[in-house]
Amino acid sequence: MSARNLGTELGSFLECFSCLLSHLVPPYPENAYLSWISKIQVNQPAVLRRAEQIQARRMVKKEWQAAWLLKAVTFIDLTTLSGDDTSSNVQRLCYKAKYPIREDLLKALNVHDKGLTTAAVCVYPARVCDAVKALKAAGSTIPVASVATGFPAGQTHLKTRLEEIRLAVEDGATEIDVVINRTLVLTGQWEGSDFIKTSTGKETVNATFPVAIVMLRAIRDFFWKTGNKIGFKPAGGIRSAKDSLAWLSLIKEELGDEWLTPELFRIGASTLLSDIERQIYHHVTGRYAAYHDLPMS
């Protein structure tokens, strides 16, 4: 990654990092928020070296790899955010969220009775009803998340943004991915959040390891200062099982096992699950799946 790209992403990160500020607790006075941010410095070469180290590392193999890949499934916000979404493809997505890995593969690994599902289903507000209905029909309590508040730019009127949230919640969404209005950040009008996210997934550059490292260390510093745990969600461009292992490794090393829970870590993805299932298939059978072997992928 070029220095210019990293600089641009770090600028976006600092805007997102402002979402953390309202979680500061006494004895920090209000003006300490700004002073803390103004003192943040990033050692760019060190960040890039750390990112390269994570990506180049030899990951776990064989049964350990299979176990970590199954764990990765439980962090996925299985997502469809297409302009041509319909009730039928949302229904299909929800079925896949409830049954992310073929049952015979899970039986071969002796985990078929563990209730393995994705962490959530993520859809546009207009499709929340479809998702809730499909999950209820499948007998599932998987949460429905919605990208409300003028996704992906966040540049709609506040009244419209609030109404979009209200409607999504009214339709059954239990999680809202809020797109912050960066104007509020630039003018110092800070808001708080439960998670910070690398991007909307709709940008040219989305989830990258250098920016994630900076964000994770900010979360860690914030926890040390306040005792408050903030979640982290990389989104956009995470497609391979190998990448998911790298993300889990990064979370474990930077924040610890406490953050390896769906309450504090999510992966926003639409195609990642397919590659994970292919890798599980290969682990169980010794061969890679043909297209017809995994028709729901």
Side-chain angles (χ1 to χ4, degrees), residues 161-276:
R161 290 154 60 84
L162 293 174
E163 180 67 5
E164 194 171 38
I165 292 174
R166 188 189 67 79
L167 290 171
V169 172
E170 188 177 90
D171 287 343
T174 55
E175 300 176 3
I176 301 293
D177 270 18
V178 173
V179 182
I180 62 171
N181 186 324
R182 292 167 190 159
T183 301
L184 299 177
V185 175
L186 296 173
T187 56
Q189 300 178 61
W190 316 119
E191 297 290 339
S193 68
D194 300 307
F195 267 74
I196 56 174
K197 187 175 175 180
T198 57
S199 62
T200 62
K202 298 290 187 180
E203 308 295 331
T204 303
V205 178
N206 291 288
T208 64
F209 288 101
V211 169
I213 289 166
V214 177
M215 295 174 74
L216 291 174
R217 291 182 179 178
I219 289 174
R220 186 176 64 196
D221 289 346
F222 186 79
F223 173 65
W224 287 345
K225 288 177 182 292
T226 69
N228 292 326
K229 294 179 180 178
I230 300 299
F232 175 70
K233 180 178 177 178
I238 304 174
R239 298 184 177 90
S240 73
K242 181 181 178 182
D243 282 347
S244 72
L245 293 176
W247 282 105
L248 265 64
S249 177
L250 183 63
I251 296 298
K252 181 178 176 65
E253 293 179 13
E254 293 291 335
L255 296 178
D257 291 338
E258 292 179 74
W259 260 264
L260 283 175
T261 168
E263 286 71 40
L264 290 171
F265 176 56
R266 299 287 181 86
I267 300 174
S270 55
T271 60
L272 171 62
L273 181 57
S274 297
D275 193 54
I276 290 178

Side-chain angles (χ1 to χ4, degrees), residues 75-142:
F75 299 127
I76 294 176
D77 280 355
L78 194 58
T79 303
T80 181
L81 297 172
S82 300
D84 58 354
D85 280 340
T86 63
S87 59
S88 59
N89 81 291
V90 169
Q91 183 178 7
R92 183 178 185 275
L93 186 83
C94 292
Y95 184 88
K96 191 61 180 174
K98 175 71 183 295
Y99 304 104
I101 306 294
R102 235 173 57 177
E103 186 176 6
D104 61 316
L105 301 178
L106 295 179
K107 284 183 177 179
L109 296 172
N110 197 30
V111 292
H112 58 285
D113 57 349
K114 303 300 182 183
L116 182 76
T117 69
T118 65
V121 167
C122 186
V123 295
Y124 276 117
R127 291 297 165 196
V128 169
C129 272
D130 295 330
V132 170
K133 182 179 179 181
L135 289 170
K136 184 177 181 180
S140 175
T141 57
I142 298 172

Side-chain angles (χ1 to χ4, degrees), residues 92 96 100 270 273-275 277-278 291 293-297:
R92 183 178 185 275
K96 191 61 180 174
S270 55
L273 181 57
S274 297
D275 193 54
E277 190 172 24
R278 278 191 289 269
Y291 181 78
D293 290 321
L294 302 173
M296 282 295 294
S297 291

